[in-house]
Amino acid sequence: MSIESMLEKLSLSDATSFADAVSKEGVVKSGLAANIDSLVAKCASSDEDEALAGLATVKALAETCPKAEAFTKECLTACLEQATAKSPAVRAASAETAVAICTKINPFAIKSLLPMLFAQLPVEKKWQVRELALKLLGSFKDSAPTQLGIALPEIVPEVTACMWDTKKQIKKAASDAMTGACEVIGNKDIEHMTSKIITAITKPKEVPEIMHQMAGVTFVQSVESPALAMVVPLLLRGLKEKQTATKRQSAVIIENMSKLVDNPLDAAPFLPLLLPALELNADSIADPEAREITGRAVDQLNRLKALADKQLNVRGDTSKLEEEFVSALKSDGDGVAKVIAHASVIATCMMDLHRMEDTQWKKNVSSLFYPYASESVAEEATEKVRIEAEKMLVVPEEEDEDDDAEELCNCTFTLAYGTKILLHNTKMKLKRGKRYGLLGGNDSGKTTLMRAIANNQVEGFPDTNDVRTVFVEADIQGEQSHLSCIDYVHVDPAIQALSIDKDEIIKVLATVGFTTDGKAKPFHAVSTLSGGWRMKLALAKCMLQKADILLLDEPTNHLDVINVAWVKTYLNSLTDVTSIIVSHDSGLLNDCCTHILQIENLKLHTFKGNLDEFVKLKPSARAYFSFTESKLKFSFPQPGPIEGVKSKGKALMKMSKCTFTYPVNDSPTLFDISVQVSLSSRVACVGENGAGKSTMIKLLVGEIEPQQGDVWKHPNARIAYVAQHAFHHIESHLSKTPNEYIRWRYANNGEDKESLIKVSMQFTPEEEKMQKTPYEISFTDDETGKISKVKKVVGELVGGRKINKSKDYEYEVRYAGSSVDSGEFLPGKILKKMGWDKAMKATDLKIAQRAGLYVRPLSTKNVEAHLEDCGLDREFGTHYRMSALSGGQKVKVVLAAAMWNQPHILILDEPTNYLDRESLGALAGAIEGFDGGVVMITHNNEFCSKLCPETWVMDAGHLETKGDADWMLKQDTKIDDSAQISEVTDASGNVSKVKGQKKKLSKKEEKVMTKRIKTKLKAGEELFSDEEEFAIEKDLI
């Protein structure tokens, strides 16, 4: 029976025989090609029996006769529309048939179904039809995941519109379809963000927060159309936000992600969406800087658009291949146009996915033409079209380097950090046993590249499970700082995985100097280690893992000359281990490296030889290790004068005979240390690892307190301190931008919140007891002159300070039990005896810090400019969270934060760590132009010798001072003999004379003074200030 006669009286029982006939005779001879419209009519029939018969036949064809799919798919619209049929049987059959058509079709042909599905999504359509269409779109994630990925640019906008629907069934089906689509984007970098992107579509209030998270994504894959399809809805939302900051961030992400697009055709579908929104913002945003950034994004997209326009685009446009098929096939049988159109969709999709092998085309394309030509002719015609298609996709490859060495890695990859492109479509080759020095400016991506390698995020790099790769860094996680050195190494997951016992750990640690009688003890907590010993601990942990590939980030940071030599020897002994070394130590790169990898212009360039040989080839690279070649400039704010300090040589900070012992140690770390610092100081503090340098600095700035000796700071001096482990300053604020962090830190009238949490500012139990003990205070009635005495307890100092008649400071107090400020002031000498010495220092500190705020207000623009002066571009300073910054950038943030209140003294503990040579040159220039005092700990001899004529040499806790500063010549005399501050200024800016430090009286002089005071007190006469002070000390009043 012919197909025509079967269609006239089609019944459910005919479905199988109909499909068998088409399979046996083909679409032309069987008559299906000529009668497909009749079958479509049967499926769409309002008669239940006819509709069921038609739907069953189409379902049988879809499931058993793939050669007929070019015709079978034309029944999809009828199936969708039957979703609203009155008959439950028809509704069920229509859904089953539609699913069969969509899931059984050649995966490369799913794009041919999209127009039919999209046509049923408008809100005017019945909700049952719309729901079925959305479910069918979602089904492609299982039947054609790869092909669905490249179709996302078309699918996402259509599904997104349905996610706002008021009908809950539509909203759920759309959300499910979008979630399914997210599973096939093929980009590991943003897979974890897809749920948040979907949330942003339905909850616009989440957009600003999600944009911040997006900025923290590290991209290591080229951005292709599936990833763009998911991100673009979020970016469009961001562009339409009311907040200028979010609009600006969207523009930055758009600009930088577009630079990661290898093929401009990937971006082509999105340009009509993004460009109008960007252009609107570029014209309407009030902030000129944000407008400029948006304009750059517009320019970048226009450049991308121009490139896309130049390329032969076959995506979604099958006409070019249809012409090729018609020319090659030369056939005019029934339905051949439909088959050619179907084959063109398949071929175009294969081109998009670069599936260009002849066997693949023979399997997916040639067989479609067998009903119209012999197999040989069909295959020959298909091959002709495939060759023409290949010409459209030709991409010239880079020439490979000739090298006979064993190849460990040869990969091409892209790397970005948030919105900043670091490396784009670049090649990296590594050979076993070679040592590669990785060069590049700060923020170029050196550490990010090594982290990406360690995390298996660089495509083509050997899996770290197959080739043991170890990333060496000295940072100690806060939650592990209480562990002993042995336990710290032992709990590391990598050490656990290798089943290394503690005995082996103890042996290896001993080889690098961790011994029970040494400076670093294996059973002491890692928090007690200096920076140099922390790095040696990290290297010891690496030695235990017996790595194939070592990734070393600044391995000589914190290390003295002896230990740097040890590191060089160790690295050179690893003949079968490949090393990638990031270092600003030119000696290390010269003595160890066999190759240099340079990051420049988003590419990774390889050079054979060490650093000196590399510089001969690239003289411009001298800036990496020469301070004088640096083109980067830093500028520090000048401190301004301190009232009462007329000479730059007068002491602003000093330590006198200080001895300090850590609680876990039996013997002191520091012995009898006496130093002082003035505005003219340029001091380099040097010594071996663990000698006590950082401990001395912590004593000087008040981070810790000595058990013996005194530490003093001028009450009006402002001190900036950048610690050795600089990131501890910001580790609790990584969700803030640098700009937000500085404004938070100084928000309370210029007070530095960090300076108020030092150990030296915390009351001891003894001081708290003194504060709660009533103290007899004398009051003189201004009218009668009568002196009355009363015992009172001070509740707190409320922040006021003034000069009394004796030219001494008095501080405003609130007495215990009083709910309001008394407005009364007490002399500092009395308050000191009452246990309030630290509170007075805190008041002095606040007043000094406020003075630094008056010169420039704490505004976003001022902080932005200040960060730029300290080397951090406004892009990172104002628009990036600190969690997304590199190590070098974080150091600049810490430095800028410390310098904001225009300090008189700058104290730097290992400032050269994490900064590249260009930044070091800029830092050196800023220090040279700084009018305040500078104290720095550094192992970088070139850096300190350039800047510091004075040297403090620390050796096992004992200090030797060298240099040519004026005060250095007086080190043989007592430190207390130094010139005293002669003037101070109060909170109102009033200048007052300050009495010099009193001379120590002999016993005879004390007796005379005591007698004179008692006589005056008996007669009711007023005491002079020095007499009053003596009387208070000797409890005479």
Side-chain angles (χ1 to χ4, degrees), residues 414-620:
T414 293
L415 179 69
Y417 197 85
T419 59
K420 182 177 175 64
I421 300 97
L422 302 172
L423 291 165
H424 184 239
N425 202 27
T426 192
K427 182 171 283 190
M428 178 169 65
K429 273 189 176 184
L430 299 177
K431 304 296 185 293
R432 183 174 291 278
K434 306 298 181 183
R435 294 176 293 281
Y436 297 85
L438 181 57
L439 297 184
N442 265 10
D443 319 332
S444 62
K446 304 182 294 295
T447 301
T448 303
L449 173 59
M450 294 208 296
R451 285 194 186 281
I453 292 172
N455 293 335
N456 274 332
Q457 291 177 310
V458 173
E459 290 180 289
F461 201 91
D463 190 289
T464 53
N465 294 320
D466 300 329
V467 179
R468 193 172 296 164
T469 304
V470 178
F471 185 31
V472 183
E473 55 183 343
D475 287 342
I476 306 293
Q477 299 299 320
E479 63 270 18
Q480 296 179 329
S481 60
H482 68 285
L483 297 175
S484 70
C485 298
I486 300 293
D487 290 336
Y488 172 75
V489 174
H490 190 253
V491 300
D492 187 282
I495 300 296
Q496 292 280 324
L498 295 172
S499 301
I500 298 173
D501 60 28
K502 289 189 177 182
D503 290 338
E504 179 68 16
I505 294 172
I506 291 172
K507 288 180 184 177
V508 172
L509 287 183
T511 64
V512 298
F514 286 84
T515 57
T516 52
D517 57 349
K519 292 179 181 176
K521 298 173 174 56
F523 295 101
H524 280 192
V526 291
S527 59
T528 65
L529 297 178
S530 67
W533 284 101
R534 290 188 184 197
M535 180 55 76
K536 293 191 78 172
L537 183 65
L539 288 168
K541 188 162 62 172
C542 142
M543 293 166 66
L544 283 161
Q545 294 178 61
K546 298 179 173 60
D548 295 306
I549 298 175
L550 274 184
L551 307 171
L552 300 116
D553 190 7
E554 300 291 356
T556 59
N557 267 8
H558 311 291
L559 295 184
D560 55 33
V561 175
I562 298 170
N563 285 313
V564 168
W566 176 86
V567 170
K568 291 178 183 177
T569 302
Y570 172 66
L571 290 176
N572 288 332
S573 69
L574 303 175
T575 54
D576 292 325
V577 178
T578 299
S579 303
I580 302 179
I581 308 164
V582 170
S583 178
H584 298 125
D585 185 340
S586 56
L588 177 73
L589 298 178
N590 266 329
D591 295 343
C592 294
C593 292
T594 60
H595 293 75
I596 297 294
L597 300 173
Q598 184 196 22
I599 298 176
E600 187 179 44
N601 297 328
L602 307 185
K603 298 293 183 183
L604 192 63
H605 306 280
T606 305
F607 300 85
K608 200 167 187 177
N610 65 6
L611 185 61
D612 283 345
E613 292 168 343
F614 170 64
V615 171
K616 292 175 185 177
L617 297 173
K618 300 255 318 186
S620 61

Side-chain angles (χ1 to χ4, degrees), residues 325-482:
F325 276 121
V326 169
S327 172
L329 200 60
K330 297 182 176 62
S331 175
D332 57 358
D334 288 338
V336 69
K338 291 179 180 178
V339 174
I340 287 177
H342 186 68
S344 298
V345 172
I346 293 174
T348 302
C349 185
M350 294 178 73
M351 288 177 67
D352 292 343
L353 293 170
H354 298 282
R355 306 287 178 83
M356 300 304 296
E357 293 182 13
D358 53 357
T359 54
Q360 293 175 321
W361 280 59
K362 179 180 178 181
K363 174 185 175 182
N364 291 288
V365 180
S366 298
S367 58
L368 296 172
F369 299 122
Y370 291 165
Y372 302 95
S374 64
E375 287 190 18
S376 59
V377 170
E379 290 171 7
E380 184 180 347
T382 301
E383 181 63 10
K384 286 182 181 179
V385 175
R386 189 191 67 82
I387 291 171
E388 291 300 316
E390 269 191 331
K391 293 177 182 177
M392 302 175 191
L393 298 176
V394 170
V395 177
E397 294 186 358
E398 297 178 20
E399 291 186 8
D400 199 3
E401 176 192 358
D402 291 331
D403 198 329
D404 296 331
E406 180 188 356
E407 189 175 275
L408 186 64
C409 159
N410 186 358
C411 56
T412 301
F413 63 97
T414 293
L415 179 69
Y417 197 85
T419 59
K420 182 177 175 64
I421 300 97
L422 302 172
L423 291 165
H424 184 239
N425 202 27
T426 192
K427 182 171 283 190
M428 178 169 65
K429 273 189 176 184
L430 299 177
K431 304 296 185 293
R432 183 174 291 278
K434 306 298 181 183
R435 294 176 293 281
Y436 297 85
L438 181 57
L439 297 184
N442 265 10
D443 319 332
S444 62
K446 304 182 294 295
T447 301
T448 303
L449 173 59
M450 294 208 296
R451 285 194 186 281
I453 292 172
N455 293 335
N456 274 332
Q457 291 177 310
V458 173
E459 290 180 289
F461 201 91
D463 190 289
T464 53
N465 294 320
D466 300 329
V467 179
R468 193 172 296 164
T469 304
V470 178
F471 185 31
V472 183
E473 55 183 343
D475 287 342
I476 306 293
Q477 299 299 320
E479 63 270 18
Q480 296 179 329
S481 60
H482 68 285

Side-chain angles (χ1 to χ4, degrees), residues 1009-1025:
M1009 176 72 81
T1010 302
K1011 185 176 180 180
R1012 184 168 69 245
I1013 290 171
K1014 286 182 177 180
T1015 302
K1016 281 190 173 186
L1017 289 173
K1018 189 174 183 180
E1021 296 178 12
E1022 186 175 341
L1023 300 178
F1024 293 122
S1025 59

Side-chain angles (χ1 to χ4, degrees), residues 47 53 79 124 127 197 204 215 246 264 274 302 337-338 386 464 484 495 634 670 698 713 822:
D47 181 84
C79 295
E124 297 82 14
W127 72 264
I197 293 171
T246 306
L274 294 173
N302 280 325
K338 291 179 180 178
R386 189 191 67 82
T464 53
S484 70
I495 300 296
F634 289 1
L670 300 177
K698 288 178 180 179
K713 179 182 79 70
S822 65

Side-chain angles (χ1 to χ4, degrees), residues 975-997:
I975 196 164
D976 291 327
D977 293 337
S978 63
Q980 300 299 303
I981 303 302
S982 60
E983 292 180 351
V984 295
T985 182
D986 64 14
S988 302
N990 300 313
V991 179
S992 305
K993 295 290 183 182
V994 175
K995 185 175 56 176
Q997 189 174 25

